[in-house]
Amino acid sequence: MKKFARVLTTAAAGAAAALALTAGVAQAAPNGSVYLYTGTNAHCAFSGDNGVAGGVFTGYECRNGVAGYSVLVDATGGSFSDVYINTFDGLANCSFAGDNGTSGGVWDSYHCQSGFAGYSLTVSA
């Protein structure tokens, strides 16, 4: 019984380590897009349209899933400054999208500005 418990403990530790390594990294979608966040279809489309208009994205997709619409974007690789992407209902949600865009190579830096309606995400590269 002790050997079985040791095997289970080792397997659980390995799974936890693998999860910890991938938890904070934006994952590329199968088509090479970068995942930013999950929200409503309207929120996704607004972010995508702003990113395309501001030269941040070459394109985007709002992929329907269990928790809402995943925002998947294709980076331009170009230069842009302080492009407004969208307003989020909390700092954690804004930072989540900002961090995913940074780690995914979509932008170099971001700022979440507190305002009346929430936190506005602006990005630069």
Side-chain angles (χ1 to χ4, degrees), residues 7 13 19 23 25 34-35 39 48 56 58 66-67 76 81 99-101 108 117 119 121 125:
V7 169
L19 181 62
V25 178
V34 174
Y35 166 76
V56 180
T58 58
V66 176
T76 63
S81 181
D99 288 341
N100 282 348
D108 294 333
Y119 288 83
L121 174 64

Side-chain angles (χ1 to χ4, degrees), residues 52-118:
V52 170
V56 180
F57 316 142
T58 58
Y60 70 94
E61 179 183 356
C62 298
R63 187 175 296 165
N64 192 8
V66 176
Y69 289 84
S70 294
V71 182
L72 305 169
V73 301
D74 299 315
T76 63
S79 179
F80 47 87
S81 181
D82 296 323
V83 176
Y84 169 70
I85 300 298
N86 211 329
T87 300
F88 294 82
D89 61 359
L91 179 57
N93 292 333
C94 182
S95 295
F96 182 81
D99 288 341
N100 282 348
T102 301
S103 64
V106 180
W107 47 71
D108 294 333
S109 64
Y110 72 91
H111 181 71
C112 291
Q113 176 68 44
S114 178
F116 181 72

